[in-house]
Amino acid sequence: MEAILDDLNPSQREAAQHIDGTLLILAGAGSGKTKTITSRLAYLIGEVGIDPRSTLTLTFTNKAALEMRNRALSMLEGNYTYPPQLLTFHKFGLLFLKFHIDKLGRKNNFVIIDSDDRKRLVKQIAKDLKIDINTPFILSEISKCKNSCVEPQMAKESAQLEDYKKAALVYEKYQEEIFDNNLVDFDDLLMLTHKILSVHEDIRVATSQKYQYIMVDEYQDTNELQLRILELLASEHGNLCVVGDDDQSIYGWRGANIRNILEFDQQFQNTKVVKLQTNYRSTTPILEAANHLIEHNRNRLKKELVSYRGEGNSVKLLHCLDETHEARSIAREIKELIQKGTHPDEIAVLYRINALSRSLEDGFNKEKLPFKLVGGMRFYERAEIKDIISYLRIILNPNDDFSLLRIINKPKRGAGKVSLDKLTHEAHQNNLSLYEYLASTPLFASSKKLSATLKTFITSIENLSSSSQISPLAMMDEFEHTIGLKAFYAKTVDGEEKVKNIEEFYGYFRDAFEKFPQMSLEEFLNDISLQSDQDQLAHEQINIMSIHAAKGLEFEHVYIIGLEEEFFPLLGESTNIEEERRLGYVAITRAKTHLTLCYVDSRFYKGQRAMINKSRFLGECGIIKNTSLKVTKSAQYKKGDLVQHKIFGMGRIEAVAKVGNEYKLKINFGGNKREILSSFVQPI
């Protein structure tokens, strides 16, 4: 065991040998986080003599739990009676509820419903309540409420905007339905666990005494509910060790609360803090860029990464005219690297916005470079893009039933499955395509309203088809106004991202026909089909991925594209600039030896080609010197957030305004609207 500890640096060793009390291991990128926490677990069991059954290590993925378990057990070399408990938060919740859900009047033979079942149930409830609201929005709100410990009644009382009121009503009925049918959804695994632990003192005490040593990985990604569960689990002994990096907290959009790690030493008394600042992954120039960038964040626990590897190549800046030039330049440079012996899987191209992958895919295909799109689907395979392509195929060939059935209800036109099945059957009986049948039949027996809606749809397609024969560019100018796909997708989950993808396609379409005015719509669609269907047979492939998908990975050569204002950082009403900056920090620290930062002068923006400014991050990380670049501080709060005030209770933010070093929040406390300074409220 001592030999294993000798393999740790002084900071890692200090953390691994800490036994009692609360411990925050502040682990910078590439600093040996997993090695430290697994060494500590092995030390507690193999050297101190702690019963493995008294330990509980919580992670966010099964993969991480398995890796940590294997590492810890290999260190112990069979010197244990039982394997230690390494679980995801949700697996722990499942096991806990199997023993204790009866305390809530439920049977332990409950069934966990998956996301599809959950979606169907919510859709049916909304229909029964005659609530016309986007299902993904309701699902998202229910999940937010559960992970913030907000019961249906509280959600109803705090909701002021109409959509939130409707969502709260569905939430209330949804909870009744899953209770009556003894169902449990993914969020319930934690919410019900917390409820039992907080209400039943005997269970809280017994569970806390059972798990005497608790460790949590990736603590910066925990939410409000997970923090509350940890407080209860550690309530009898205070032996809680968390490891994480506030500078890599990039999941605020899905509920992670960075304040959990920033205020850990305030929430848990007598906390020991150990900083792991020696980075074993990257060279000094790369870490200097990362350190300079993240220093601009106000809300962070100060630390600075130092390279174990030492000096290396300077960070390279690639400046291109547009995204086509950018993709071609990167593709040719990578091709040269591979020819010189670099393995393709040691190369990664990262971006903030998924829509930027389109030009990369085109550029790499033209250079015949093998690539894989990690953590996402190829641009032309995304639902919103396939919908546009299906519309274009219908405009070109109205008798394409396959494409017509895909988009006939996008946006919604009231054509349900039963109605469509009936119409398709009638069309086939008359030896007509579905489009021909809809165009030639004056009235459908199923519904007068549906008849009128589909007739309008047919007229729209006919008008667009006529326009496309004159000029595909003119047709595309009419397309969005006529069909309204952007408005339809804007209301769905990840709507902003989908709208950007649609705008990217519109821009690509216009650019293609401006460059080749004689090209036909058929040629354009065929070209897309060849690109989207190209087989990628090579085993070794270049990695193309979003920065979120790259977290936890490392590569010898990293290219970060799209370093322009509006693209990275992504700017908008709901933007948290500090989280954007943390994303930049994560992206930079994926590189081991070679890092290239890329920006362009012109890119498609909101469907039009526009001149754009280089990203403020280029100046903040010290790569360029330009005093005109913006350096901003961010608000932690945004419109729509739920907050808690010690006197007025829970409220929802309606507006945010900067006042000196603070933010003035306009908050609706159940109809009582007040303006409160941000330092007097806590986020929920």
Side-chain angles (χ1 to χ4, degrees):
M1 183 56 61
E2 282 299 322
I4 292 173
L5 291 180
D6 284 343
D7 196 35
L8 305 178
N9 68 35
S11 297
Q12 293 171 334
R13 188 182 179 106
E14 182 184 5
Q17 288 184 294
H18 180 85
I19 300 173
D20 296 323
T22 50
L23 171 66
L24 168 60
I25 304 174
L26 199 59
S31 62
K33 165 181 72 74
T34 303
K35 181 179 183 179
T36 303
I37 195 171
T38 50
S39 295
R40 181 175 187 268
L41 179 59
Y43 180 80
L44 288 174
I45 296 168
E47 188 71 15
V48 180
I50 303 299
D51 185 343
R53 291 172 296 182
S54 296
T55 69
L56 175 64
T57 304
L58 297 171
T59 69
F60 280 86
T61 66
N62 289 314
K63 181 182 177 183
L66 181 62
E67 181 190 353
M68 292 171 68
R69 180 186 292 110
N70 290 340
R71 283 206 200 185
L73 295 184
S74 67
M75 292 181 197
L76 290 168
E77 297 178 345
N79 184 26
Y80 56 91
T81 50
Y82 299 93
Q85 286 267 56
L86 284 102
L87 308 165
T88 64
F89 273 95
H90 291 91
K91 182 65 180 292
F92 171 78
L94 171 61
L95 296 176
F96 180 86
L97 291 179
K98 284 293 181 182
F99 283 102
H100 302 296
I101 199 169
D102 61 300
K103 297 297 187 293
L104 299 176
R106 305 274 296 270
K107 295 179 181 178
N108 72 351
N109 63 343
F110 58 83
V111 174
I112 301 174
I113 57 173
D114 62 22
S115 56
D116 286 339
D117 293 332
R118 187 167 162 261
K119 183 178 180 180
R120 279 197 295 271
L121 181 56
V122 164
K123 201 170 185 178
Q124 186 58 50
I125 290 170
K127 185 178 179 181
D128 293 343
L129 294 175
K130 294 181 170 56
I131 289 176
D132 182 22
I133 188 172
N134 186 269
T135 302
F137 170 78
I138 300 175
L139 289 167
S140 176
E141 280 305 301
I142 290 174
S143 187
K144 284 180 185 176
C145 286
K146 290 191 175 189
N147 282 287
S148 300
C149 302
V150 176
E151 299 278 356
Q153 188 59 38
M154 197 187 304
K156 285 169 63 180
E157 291 171 1
S158 68
Q160 297 301 316
L161 300 176
E162 195 60 32
D163 281 354
Y164 291 104
K165 288 180 181 178
K166 292 177 179 177
L169 289 173
V170 176
Y171 177 29
E172 182 179 48
K173 182 65 176 173
Y174 172 78
Q175 286 302 92
E176 291 173 6
E177 286 285 334
I178 62 174
F179 180 88
D180 292 342
N181 292 283
N182 202 27
L183 304 174
V184 168
D185 67 21
F186 201 58
D187 296 320
D188 284 332
L189 294 174
L190 297 186
M191 188 182 79
L192 299 181
T193 293
H194 173 263
K195 194 169 187 176
I196 294 167
L197 285 170
S198 57
V199 171
H200 296 275
E201 181 78 1
D202 57 332
I203 296 176
R204 177 193 63 77
V205 171
T207 307
S208 182
Q209 289 177 344
K210 178 180 179 181
Y211 300 113
Q212 290 285 320
Y213 293 90
I214 301 168
M215 291 195 282
V216 184
D217 189 27
E218 302 285 9
Y219 187 68
Q220 77 278 353
D221 295 335
T222 54
N223 61 26
E224 178 71 18
L225 183 52
Q226 287 159 337
L227 168 62
R228 294 190 187 186
I229 289 172
L230 290 171
E231 287 175 328
L232 294 167
L233 290 177
S235 57
E236 290 299 299
H237 48 73
N239 296 329
L240 175 63
C241 165
V242 303
V243 59
D245 183 4
D246 55 313
D247 292 333
Q248 295 188 74
S249 178
I250 59 173
Y251 295 111
W253 51 275
R254 71 180 189 196
N257 187 355
I258 192 175
R259 294 173 74 121
N260 288 358
I261 192 167
L262 293 178
E263 300 173 2
F264 184 79
D265 60 345
Q266 299 168 38
Q267 293 158 342
F268 298 93
Q269 293 184 345
N270 302 316
T271 294
K272 180 181 179 66
V273 179
V274 178
K275 296 182 181 181
L276 306 184
Q277 300 180 97
T278 301
N279 175 286
Y280 294 90
R281 176 187 301 149
S282 308
T283 55
T284 297
I286 292 169
L287 294 186
E288 284 179 346
N291 287 331
H292 287 321
L293 174 64
I294 204 65
E295 279 174 0
H296 287 80
N297 273 4
R298 181 176 61 183
N299 299 300
R300 64 184 294 258
L301 301 169
K302 188 172 175 59
K303 67 179 182 307
E304 186 165 324
L305 294 178
V306 177
S307 174
Y308 181 81
R309 302 182 67 164
E311 289 302 320
N313 294 287
S314 299
V315 175
K316 184 180 174 182
L317 189 67
L318 179 62
H319 173 204
C320 297
L321 297 175
D322 58 21
E323 69 278 3
T324 304
H325 181 205
E326 176 184 63
R328 188 169 64 245
S329 299
I330 293 172
R332 288 176 178 173
E333 193 171 302
I334 288 175
K335 195 170 189 177
E336 191 175 328
L337 284 174
I338 293 171
Q339 287 170 349
K340 290 180 178 178
T342 301
H343 289 279
D345 54 12
E346 278 294 345
I347 304 169
V349 186
L350 311 181
Y351 44 77
R352 171 67 179 93
I353 301 172
N354 285 326
L356 298 193
S357 77
R358 197 273 309 162
S359 58
L360 286 174
E361 292 174 45
D362 290 350
F364 281 34
N365 280 331
K366 285 171 184 173
E367 291 293 331
K368 295 182 172 54
L369 284 172
F371 69 89
K372 57 186 173 186
L373 204 63
V374 181
M377 59 180 67
R378 293 174 182 255
F379 184 81
Y380 297 114
E381 293 172 359
R382 291 175 181 137
E384 60 273 23
I385 303 305
K386 290 177 82 170
D387 287 346
I388 303 175
I389 292 171
S390 292
Y391 266 107
L392 295 179
R393 285 173 175 161
I394 292 299
I395 290 167
L396 187 66
N397 174 22
N399 298 322
D400 179 353
D401 279 5
F402 178 78
S403 296
L404 182 61
L405 287 169
R406 178 182 176 89
I407 51 84
I408 196 168
N409 224 24
K410 292 179 182 179
K412 291 184 179 178
R413 299 185 175 92
K417 186 178 184 305
V418 174
S419 297
L420 284 176
D421 287 346
K422 186 176 180 181
L423 291 170
T424 303
H425 177 70
E426 290 170 359
H428 291 169
Q429 278 194 324
N430 287 278
N431 293 319
L432 297 172
S433 69
L434 179 57
Y435 184 93
E436 288 172 328
Y437 181 73
L438 297 178
S440 60
T441 307
L443 188 68
F444 313 128
S446 54
S447 166
K448 289 183 179 180
K449 183 180 179 182
L450 179 61
S451 297
T453 303
L454 292 182
K455 289 297 180 187
T456 301
F457 167 69
I458 292 296
T459 301
S460 298
I461 297 297
E462 287 174 348
N463 291 338
L464 289 170
S465 182
S466 299
S467 179
S468 72
Q469 292 170 21
I470 300 169
S471 165
L473 271 175
M475 180 274 296
M476 187 50 77
D477 288 338
E478 298 173 25
F479 182 83
E480 179 58 36
H481 176 73
T482 303
I483 303 300
L485 271 184
K486 281 166 60 176
F488 169 69
Y489 270 110
K491 296 177 182 177
T492 64
V493 170
D494 297 328
E496 185 178 353
E497 179 77 25
K498 291 173 181 175
V499 168
K500 284 185 180 295
N501 289 336
I502 291 170
E503 289 170 345
E504 170 72 14
F505 183 90
Y506 289 166
Y508 174 58
F509 184 96
R510 291 191 184 96
D511 196 51
F513 280 95
E514 284 170 0
K515 287 179 178 176
F516 304 102
Q518 303 306 314
M519 181 169 59
S520 68
L521 182 58
E522 183 178 10
E523 287 171 328
F524 175 81
L525 290 173
N526 287 340
D527 186 49
I528 284 178
S529 296
L530 288 173
Q531 290 186 34
S532 59
D533 292 339
Q534 182 176 2
D535 291 330
Q536 298 290 340
L537 300 175
H539 294 293
E540 293 183 345
Q541 299 174 318
I542 301 150
N543 301 275
I544 298 178
M545 67 182 86
S546 70
I547 297 165
H548 282 100
K551 187 171 180 291
L553 304 177
E554 57 184 38
F555 308 92
E556 288 293 339
H557 298 262
V558 170
Y559 296 81
I560 305 173
I561 69 166
L563 278 158
E564 305 103 26
E565 294 289 293
E566 306 285 344
F567 289 90
F568 195 17
L570 180 65
L571 300 177
E573 187 178 303
S574 60
T575 294
N576 180 333
I577 193 66
E578 294 212 351
E579 183 154 316
E580 290 295 305
R581 202 172 277 118
R582 291 193 292 270
L583 268 170
Y585 176 84
V586 167
I588 289 170
T589 54
R590 297 313 93 199
K592 295 182 186 178
T593 55
H594 294 79
L595 173 65
T596 303
L597 306 180
C598 314
Y599 74 97
V600 300
D601 294 328
S602 161
R603 200 182 287 277
F604 282 116
Y605 179 60
K606 296 184 177 177
Q608 300 289 335
R609 180 162 294 285
M611 300 302 291
I612 47 180
N613 296 320
K614 62 177 75 73
S615 170
R616 68 192 72 183
F617 292 168
L618 293 172
E620 291 178 359
C621 71
I623 301 304
I624 61 173
K625 292 183 179 179
N626 188 341
T627 54
S628 67
L629 288 176
K630 302 172 187 175
V631 177
T632 57
K633 301 296 184 184
S634 71
Q636 286 180 290
Y637 300 94
K638 60 184 182 296
K639 183 179 177 182
D641 282 355
L642 284 173
V643 294
Q644 184 76 27
H645 188 275
K646 62 183 179 181
I647 296 173
F648 304 119
M650 187 174 72
R652 192 178 292 276
I653 295 174
E654 294 188 348
V656 180
K658 186 83 167 68
V659 180
N661 292 325
E662 277 240 50
Y663 289 89
K664 183 167 65 176
L665 310 176
K666 184 178 180 182
I667 307 172
N668 192 325
F669 297 100
N672 179 17
K673 298 184 180 182
R674 293 181 178 272
E675 291 187 340
I676 305 285
L677 291 176
S678 57
S679 58
F680 287 83
V681 297
Q682 294 286 331
I684 294 179

